[in-house]
Amino acid sequence: MGKKAVVMIIFYNILQFAAMVVFSPLIAYSLITSPKRQKTFLKRLGFFTFRGVPNKLFDHEKPIWIHALSLGEVLSIVTMVKQIREKFPDRKILFSVSTLAGFEIADKNLDGLVDRIVFFPYDLFFSVKRWIRKIDPEFVIIVETDIWPNFLFGMTNEQIPIYLVNARLSDRSFHGYKKVLFFLKPFLSCFSKICTQTAIDQERFHLLGIDKAKVVVTGNTKFDQAVACPSTGEIDALKSSLPIGSHQKVFIAGSTHPGEEKIILEAFMQMKKDIPDLILIIAPRHPERSQSVYAMFHAREFASLMITKRNTLHADETCDVIVVDTIGLLKNLYGLCSVAFIGGTFSDTGGHNPLEPATFAKPILFGPNMKNFADISNMLIRNNGARYVSDARDLYRETVHLLKDTAQSREMGTNAFQVLDRQTGAVDRTLKIISQHIRHLPKTTAPSYLVPEPLPLIAKE
């Protein structure tokens, strides 16, 4: 590490300590009032994580450490974890997350693929130091964005390679990083390789002063993850567990946020006038909000059902609205729908992954704010696999049109799937780069995979 990085890490820790002292009442209040933080606080300090571990977590073995921030990042990396397990079956794999939702979805999707799932440490120098000593990884893979100075400094100081994969830099992040580049640049330079989603992301890292040789375009692993869709049997079993008739059409609103449910309710009230037996499946992004969403639709006299209580229905009972009050089901539920709406797009959130319904060749609608998936949404729009809707009236009009015009709906769904299918391969390209640094394996240096077709199409967005 250079002298500048050492100076910056000292400055960072002094500033961090001062902030902890000043804001200690707020930190204490957050711990007292937030059940989520109560469940994760001590684990992220490492007190429970390494209980009973005298030396190293995996004895004399150096694990592969993979880190994904939360639910979305975990889902985007599942296919890569599967391939790492297949390629290196004798290697230990440690998987870390930063949120409770991320932990729950990792526990469900990575069972049998990784050796241990833990919470990522707080970026406190003493916590990070203890984690590095106890885990002693061969290398670290960080998914998308979760950049912490103490962690990067500590890994680099121990000469442990760090890879940033599926990396992206939004306009907002890019301009924010530029403002503090004097501080961030030494830590961004700690990465052995940065594998970006698009050529635009690659150029932004270059403009931040990162060595061009370190930054390569490998594509978006979300395309690969989306292709790994459930079997027809799984989808049929899910449908048979729900009060959905064979003749009924289903409209799904996935990953919705506060304020959006009112818009969806207004649109759905109009949809039911045109298509009386239409069923809405609505999945709040945060399941703890499901009760309030249920109450909202129930108050308008829609027969509503919490999906976790589906087994309590009598055989002859029907419903208008199914509220998803658990995580992990949404992707499979898209397989049941006729039209899908992507939540987080009528708010400042920036949208969620539209590739999940594309997996099942479903027509996709989203609101005006898809900044988190700008490249993907633009490709879907350009190829007539998705459409923007501006408000409740627009959502009603487009949904009913697609529900009635089955030929156009089928065409849009096919187009969405083709966009997804053409962009796969990011996992393979990323693993070719990482595999060069796994010990005892021959290096491969073919440069042709760095910017493969059709990735240049993404760069034009």
Side-chain angles (χ1 to χ4, degrees), residues 98-132:
S98 295
T99 68
L100 188 59
F103 188 93
E104 290 171 352
I105 204 71
D107 190 48
K108 181 174 182 178
N109 285 268
L110 300 177
D111 183 40
L113 296 174
V114 300
D115 295 280
R116 187 154 180 177
I117 302 172
V118 298
F119 286 97
F120 193 72
Y122 290 117
D123 200 47
L124 306 169
F125 73 92
F126 57 86
S127 289
V128 168
K129 185 176 180 180
R130 186 171 189 232
W131 278 66
I132 294 173

Side-chain angles (χ1 to χ4, degrees), residues 126-172:
F126 57 86
S127 289
V128 168
K129 185 176 180 180
R130 186 171 189 232
W131 278 66
I132 294 173
R133 186 178 71 252
K134 292 287 186 180
I135 296 174
D136 188 25
E138 183 163 344
F139 61 88
V140 178
I141 298 171
I142 295 178
V143 183
E144 293 195 22
T145 53
D146 208 13
I147 299 169
W148 294 101
N150 274 325
F151 184 82
L152 293 174
F153 182 87
M155 289 294 176
T156 304
N157 203 43
E158 295 294 328
Q159 299 183 330
I160 298 169
I162 317 165
Y163 299 91
L164 185 62
V165 306
N166 211 39
R168 62 186 178 91
L169 274 180
S170 65
D171 285 336
R172 182 177 180 181

Side-chain angles (χ1 to χ4, degrees), residues 203-214:
E203 180 61 21
R204 285 173 175 167
F205 277 106
H206 290 166
L207 292 173
L208 292 177
I210 306 305
D211 184 354
K212 290 188 176 183
K214 283 189 173 186

